[in-house]
Amino acid sequence: KAHLSLMGNLVLRQQQEIKQLRADLQAAGSNTNGVLLWKIPNFKTKLAEAKQKSMELVSVPFHAGDNGYKLAASVFINGNGSGEGKYLSLYIKILQGEYDNLLEWPFQLPITFTIFDQCSILEKRVNVIESFLPDTTWKHFQKPSKDQEPMGFGYPKFVSHETLFTRNYIKDDTVFIKVNVDTATLLGP
Amino acid sequence: KAHLSLMGNLVLRQQQEIKQLRADLQAAGSNTNGVLLWKIPNFKTKLAEAKQKSMELVSVPFHAGDNGYKLAASVFINGNGSGEGKYLSLYIKILQGEYDNLLEWPFQLPITFTIFDQCSILEKRVNVIESFLPDTTWKHFQKPSKDQEPMGFGYPKFVSHETLFTRNYIKDDTVFIKVNVDTATLLGP
Amino acid sequence: KAHLSLMGNLVLRQQQEIKQLRADLQAAGSNTNGVLLWKIPNFKTKLAEAKQKSMELVSVPFHAGDNGYKLAASVFINGNGSGEGKYLSLYIKILQGEYDNLLEWPFQLPITFTIFDQCSILEKRVNVIESFLPDTTWKHFQKPSKDQEPMGFGYPKFVSHETLFTRNYIKDDTVFIKVNVDTATLLGP
């Protein structure tokens, strides 16, 4: 009986460890070059769900620069705010990172969002692209703290559903979103 | 009894998860710069086994380009086809990848295979090297599909056993194979 | 009873696997660009412990070059040798790596150690920096072997405790150490 209980404890601890490993793995696998390529499969099912109930999808974290800023993208495929119901909304969030004390704040690297036209002939693609330079007076770009949830900054009306269902933005029921943080001006630690 | 059974289920599920984590880890660890360096230890034992029964060794998958093509190398150390019994055969396979819908097809990046002479004096090494440019009319380089096993393309007679046992191609019973995919011309997504 | 014992064995084996996965993950996550950024949290507690009993902290392994040298940093926060009790000592160790037979020996890449001043205004930082070129006649830089523990090479008096408690070398009870191996001259395999 005691043996059984001990083993039970062990199994539970292993479950925790596996969970942590999975999280670490995502972090290790994530690029540090400031580029996130985000694959969203089962898009139509997710859109139907989001029409029932507002739903935010958050990407795996990624890094801009070696030991740099930690970020994540956020998408509301049925839109939120001014885009609700008719647009896909797309945002960036600055997350608390391991190396924040070494980095420059506020965050001020240029960011580009892309949704790919997955046409098999590359020359014929018409991607949806938007770029912006962070306004460093905004709260979204200050050094993250424990006490505050990261706030998304971006485009409530990134692309309309009407447009999204044209061309090859959705292919094999999958959408690809790229977030590109321009680290060229980054003076890394 | 019920408790025991539940725990049994949990342990089995953890085993699955560990297996998946290991696979993910290999993928995360694999370079995306188009270079595979493949270490094959216990070479002589493997060769003896292959002489008994034809045996293909397949490398871990690797990627050419960030979010690029997914490939693997394949080696028959006792040869296959025209190389059987007297040569080491070496091939590349284009695997189904996460980002295939964003990439250009057929695959047309130049590929170089190397087997290293592990002489401790770098200047004296005589590596075995072969390069080729994919012939885009071949089936091997078309966009991979679920319905078709990837086919290896390469050299049935990459290096003869006679040569392989000279110099330092085998050192500490280990052979190193490098596959280099030239991504310089790659217009990544 | 037999069932229980079998499951116990399985759980133990899984524990081993998780441990191995964690190690592999560290290796996969470690950069190959020759840069280690090492975060040491709970610094003051560690220093108090080290004052009771000499204590070496060893970093995760990192790599210089793709498939290159494997290294680790070593720190005695209460000093050792001539630095004992009054300095932080900082060393590099060349570890046995997967690809040692392909690499050039002795090791001769330039190394730079940095402890960061974590001042939030980057221009005002005064980092502690030391660089050296390995003396290739020293044992520390020869090809590692199984029979010999890696020996640390570096600075017993890297920075005095007196200095360390000034400016922002310690912030949020955390110290950041960077080790930079200059791979510019590396002719990788």
Side-chain angles (χ1 to χ4, degrees):
Chain A
K1 184 78 180 170
H3 184 188
L4 195 63
S5 167
L6 272 176
M7 192 159 65
N9 287 342
L10 184 59
V11 169
L12 287 175
R13 208 159 56 236
Q14 283 180 213
Q15 207 172 26
Q16 283 299 317
E17 284 194 75
I18 289 172
K19 197 176 162 190
Q20 182 59 45
L21 274 171
R22 193 173 289 287
D24 292 354
L25 186 60
Q26 274 191 339
S30 73
N31 294 325
T32 61
N33 60 356
V35 178
L36 169 75
L37 185 57
W38 189 10
K39 184 179 185 174
I40 304 182
N42 306 315
F43 191 79
K44 283 165 192 170
T45 309
K46 289 193 178 91
L47 181 56
E49 283 175 32
K51 281 186 182 297
Q52 299 302 316
K53 183 167 178 286
S54 179
M55 188 175 68
E56 180 186 22
L57 303 177
V58 179
S59 76
V60 297
F62 66 107
H63 291 85
D66 286 335
N67 309 305
Y69 300 97
K70 185 175 181 180
L71 309 104
S74 154
V75 69
F76 292 79
I77 60 183
N78 194 42
N80 78 337
S82 62
E84 194 176 338
K86 295 202 166 156
Y87 291 82
L88 179 151
S89 310
L90 184 52
Y91 305 98
I92 191 80
K93 291 176 169 184
I94 316 289
L95 310 181
Q96 269 202 297
E98 288 273 293
Y99 307 106
D100 285 350
N101 276 349
L102 293 185
L103 298 168
E104 191 162 25
W105 299 101
F107 177 90
Q108 52 188 302
L109 302 175
I111 290 181
T112 302
F113 291 126
T114 303
I115 288 189
F116 282 96
D117 177 3
Q118 302 171 59
C119 176
S120 60
I121 302 158
L122 271 66
E123 293 73 22
K124 293 198 175 168
R125 291 182 180 179
V126 182
N127 299 329
V128 181
I129 304 185
E130 294 286 351
S131 294
F132 68 93
L133 199 64
D135 180 333
T136 56
T137 65
W138 283 56
K139 274 197 281 184
H140 307 68
F141 303 114
Q142 308 311 309
K143 189 177 167 188
S145 81
K146 280 179 196 173
D147 309 319
Q148 178 135 25
E149 275 292 293
M151 288 182 293
F153 183 91
Y155 300 89
K157 298 186 175 180
F158 187 74
V159 64
S160 70
H161 290 164
E162 198 176 358
T163 301
L164 198 60
F165 280 85
T166 62
R167 309 192 69 90
N168 289 283
Y169 298 117
I170 305 169
K171 187 172 179 177
D172 296 343
D173 203 18
T174 296
V175 167
F176 282 100
I177 295 174
K178 188 173 76 167
V179 182
N180 196 321
V181 182
D182 182 355
T183 57
T185 60
L186 184 63
L187 296 166
Chain B
K1 184 77 179 168
H3 183 188
L4 196 63
S5 169
L6 272 176
M7 192 158 64
N9 286 342
L10 184 59
V11 169
L12 287 176
R13 209 160 54 236
Q14 283 180 214
Q15 208 172 25
Q16 283 300 316
E17 284 193 76
I18 289 172
K19 197 175 163 190
Q20 182 58 45
L21 274 172
R22 194 172 289 286
D24 292 354
L25 186 60
Q26 274 190 340
S30 73
N31 294 324
T32 62
N33 59 356
V35 178
L36 169 76
L37 185 57
W38 190 10
K39 184 178 185 174
I40 304 181
N42 305 316
F43 191 79
K44 283 164 191 169
T45 309
K46 289 193 178 91
L47 181 56
E49 282 174 33
K51 281 185 182 300
Q52 298 303 315
K53 184 167 178 289
S54 178
M55 188 175 67
E56 180 186 21
L57 303 176
V58 180
S59 75
V60 297
F62 67 107
H63 290 86
D66 286 335
N67 311 305
Y69 301 96
K70 185 175 181 181
L71 309 104
S74 153
V75 68
F76 292 79
I77 59 183
N78 193 43
N80 78 338
S82 62
E84 194 177 338
K86 295 202 167 156
Y87 291 82
L88 178 150
S89 311
L90 184 53
Y91 305 97
I92 190 80
K93 291 176 170 185
I94 316 289
L95 309 181
Q96 269 203 297
E98 288 273 292
Y99 307 106
D100 285 351
N101 276 349
L102 293 184
L103 298 167
E104 191 161 24
W105 299 100
F107 177 91
Q108 52 190 303
L109 301 175
I111 290 180
T112 303
F113 291 125
T114 304
I115 287 189
F116 282 96
D117 177 3
Q118 303 171 59
C119 177
S120 59
I121 302 158
L122 271 66
E123 293 73 23
K124 292 197 174 169
R125 292 182 179 179
V126 182
N127 299 328
V128 181
I129 304 186
E130 294 286 352
S131 294
F132 68 92
L133 198 65
D135 180 333
T136 56
T137 64
W138 283 56
K139 276 196 278 184
H140 307 68
F141 303 115
Q142 308 310 309
K143 188 176 166 189
S145 80
K146 281 180 197 171
D147 309 321
Q148 178 135 26
E149 274 294 292
M151 289 183 291
F153 183 91
Y155 300 89
K157 297 185 176 181
F158 187 74
V159 63
S160 70
H161 290 164
E162 198 176 0
T163 301
L164 198 59
F165 280 85
T166 62
R167 309 191 68 90
N168 289 283
Y169 298 118
I170 305 170
K171 187 172 178 178
D172 295 344
D173 202 18
T174 297
V175 166
F176 282 99
I177 295 175
K178 188 173 77 166
V179 182
N180 197 321
V181 182
D182 182 354
T183 57
T185 60
L186 185 62
L187 296 167
Chain C
K1 183 81 177 166
H3 183 190
L4 195 64
S5 167
L6 272 176
M7 192 159 63
N9 286 343
L10 184 59
V11 169
L12 287 175
R13 207 160 58 236
Q14 283 181 211
Q15 207 172 23
Q16 283 300 317
E17 283 193 77
I18 289 171
K19 197 175 162 189
Q20 183 58 45
L21 274 172
R22 194 173 288 286
D24 291 354
L25 187 59
Q26 274 189 339
S30 72
N31 293 325
T32 62
N33 59 355
V35 179
L36 169 75
L37 184 57
W38 190 10
K39 184 179 185 174
I40 304 182
N42 306 316
F43 191 78
K44 283 166 192 169
T45 309
K46 289 193 177 89
L47 181 55
E49 282 175 33
K51 282 186 182 296
Q52 298 303 315
K53 184 166 177 288
S54 179
M55 188 174 68
E56 179 186 22
L57 303 177
V58 179
S59 76
V60 296
F62 66 106
H63 290 85
D66 286 335
N67 309 305
Y69 300 97
K70 185 175 181 181
L71 310 103
S74 154
V75 68
F76 291 79
I77 60 183
N78 193 42
N80 78 337
S82 62
E84 194 176 337
K86 295 203 168 157
Y87 290 82
L88 178 151
S89 310
L90 184 52
Y91 305 98
I92 191 80
K93 290 176 170 185
I94 316 290
L95 310 180
Q96 269 202 297
E98 288 273 293
Y99 307 106
D100 285 351
N101 276 349
L102 293 185
L103 298 167
E104 191 161 25
W105 299 101
F107 177 90
Q108 52 189 303
L109 301 175
I111 290 182
T112 303
F113 291 125
T114 304
I115 287 189
F116 282 95
D117 177 2
Q118 302 171 59
C119 177
S120 60
I121 302 159
L122 272 67
E123 293 74 21
K124 292 196 173 167
R125 292 182 179 179
V126 182
N127 299 328
V128 181
I129 304 185
E130 295 285 353
S131 294
F132 68 92
L133 198 65
D135 180 333
T136 55
T137 64
W138 283 56
K139 274 196 281 184
H140 307 68
F141 303 114
Q142 308 310 309
K143 189 176 167 188
S145 81
K146 279 180 198 174
D147 309 321
Q148 179 136 25
E149 274 294 292
M151 289 182 291
F153 184 91
Y155 300 89
K157 298 185 176 181
F158 186 74
V159 63
S160 71
H161 290 164
E162 198 176 358
T163 300
L164 198 59
F165 280 85
T166 63
R167 309 191 67 91
N168 288 284
Y169 297 118
I170 305 170
K171 188 172 178 176
D172 296 344
D173 202 18
T174 296
V175 167
F176 282 100
I177 295 175
K178 189 172 76 166
V179 182
N180 198 321
V181 182
D182 182 354
T183 57
T185 60
L186 184 62
L187 296 167

